[in-house]
Amino acid sequence: MTNIIALLGGLFGAAIGWVLAAVLASVLGGYYGVTDFEGARGMIAVFTFGPIGGLLGLIIGVWLALRLKSGAKVTGKAVAIRLPIVLAGIAGLVAGTVGVLYWFSPILNPSGASPRLAFEIRLPAGASVRERGLDVSLFTEKNTMPATMDAGVVRKDGERPVIAGTVELTYRSSWRILELKMPGVPEHIFLIKVGARPGHDADFRDWEHVSNVGNETNRPRLATADDAYDIRYRVIWPD
């Protein structure tokens, strides 16, 4: 319990010390003519003098917390013993907060390039592939992202042509669908079952059948075995 009280006292003292030091430095800087071009004076006050005040406030906060807890005189030795524990606790809180914010960020990779979904779509035997009018897009509840397609047919699986491409996975998402549009045929919709925050796939997953096919109505129908369109995909995270 004493350590927790010391930690809370240190946090409160550090916050108060940081703010007071930054405000005082900004006021004195203005009095002595320190430039405020593009916020320079404020930056110096907050990030140079603020930490000094925060450290002093941390020590005073720990001392006051121990004093209030014990109701007696607190020696420098007692503060020195508790100080590393308080610093470790603060570091743990900061690391935990950063970790939680990173994990629950709506952006899949806030610190770098977005992972990509590489996919192959297997078309019916004898299907004609024309780059003009070919369109593949990824839809989520947060965004729509056009895919980058490889030129033409990349290979054949028996008599069935296979086209391929990649698309960015920018956001965490509870659902993802890939829509294929080709001239002269209805749109084909594939469910992408990779989870909200998918990991890296070393290889392509198994082939999956098309989920829905467009028709004359506004609502696509469920695909049947006669709809000879399949997809396989893998998630690629940047190195």
Side-chain angles (χ1 to χ4, degrees), residues 118-216:
F119 59 87
E120 291 184 345
I121 299 177
R122 189 166 57 187
L123 307 177
S128 175
V129 179
R130 289 176 292 174
E131 293 183 35
R132 186 179 180 85
L134 175 64
D135 179 69
V136 179
S137 296
L138 179 76
F139 294 85
T140 76
E141 74 269 28
K142 294 184 176 73
N143 72 326
T144 301
M145 184 67 66
T148 300
M149 300 298 296
D150 297 344
V153 175
V154 294
R155 63 184 179 85
K156 282 198 171 184
D157 187 352
E159 296 299 318
R160 300 177 63 181
V162 176
I163 58 176
T166 62
V167 63
E168 282 191 7
L169 299 177
T170 306
Y171 296 100
R172 292 170 59 94
S173 179
S174 59
W175 57 267
R176 297 180 179 89
I177 61 173
L178 199 73
E179 183 183 67
L180 166 67
K181 291 183 177 180
M182 297 176 62
V185 296
E187 66 268 20
H188 289 74
I189 298 171
F190 303 89
L191 295 181
I192 306 300
K193 306 169 187 176
V194 294
R197 193 178 190 281
H200 180 81
D201 293 321
D203 298 302
F204 279 101
R205 306 185 185 201
D206 294 335
W207 287 102
E208 298 174 9
H209 196 54
V210 61
S211 175
N212 297 85
V213 180
N215 54 23
E216 292 78 11

Side-chain angles (χ1 to χ4, degrees), residues 2-193:
T2 301
N3 290 335
I4 295 176
I5 292 175
L7 173 62
L8 294 175
L11 285 171
F12 185 76
I16 296 298
W18 192 304
V19 171
L20 289 178
V23 171
L24 181 60
S26 180
V27 171
L28 290 177
Y31 179 79
Y32 286 105
V34 177
T35 180
D36 197 28
F37 179 71
E38 294 186 347
R41 187 169 69 234
M43 296 286 286
I44 293 172
V46 172
F47 295 108
T48 300
F49 294 97
I52 298 173
L55 179 59
L56 293 175
L58 172 68
I59 297 172
I60 295 172
V62 172
W63 177 81
L64 284 175
L66 294 176
R67 178 68 181 270
L68 293 174
K69 174 68 169 60
S70 64
K73 182 179 179 180
V74 178
T75 64
K77 182 179 179 181
V79 174
I81 291 174
R82 300 292 180 186
L83 197 57
I85 299 174
V86 171
L87 290 174
I90 293 174
L93 287 173
V94 171
T97 301
V98 171
V100 168
L101 291 176
Y102 182 88
W103 184 257
F104 288 101
S105 169
I107 306 297
L108 277 177
N109 192 19
S111 59
S114 298
R116 299 188 69 85
L117 182 80
F119 59 87
E120 291 184 345
I121 299 177
R122 189 166 57 187
L123 307 177
S128 175
V129 179
R130 289 176 292 174
E131 293 183 35
R132 186 179 180 85
L134 175 64
D135 179 69
V136 179
S137 296
L138 179 76
F139 294 85
T140 76
E141 74 269 28
K142 294 184 176 73
N143 72 326
T144 301
M145 184 67 66
T148 300
M149 300 298 296
D150 297 344
V153 175
V154 294
R155 63 184 179 85
K156 282 198 171 184
D157 187 352
E159 296 299 318
R160 300 177 63 181
V162 176
I163 58 176
T166 62
V167 63
E168 282 191 7
L169 299 177
T170 306
Y171 296 100
R172 292 170 59 94
S173 179
S174 59
W175 57 267
R176 297 180 179 89
I177 61 173
L178 199 73
E179 183 183 67
L180 166 67
K181 291 183 177 180
M182 297 176 62
V185 296
E187 66 268 20
H188 289 74
I189 298 171
F190 303 89
L191 295 181
I192 306 300
K193 306 169 187 176

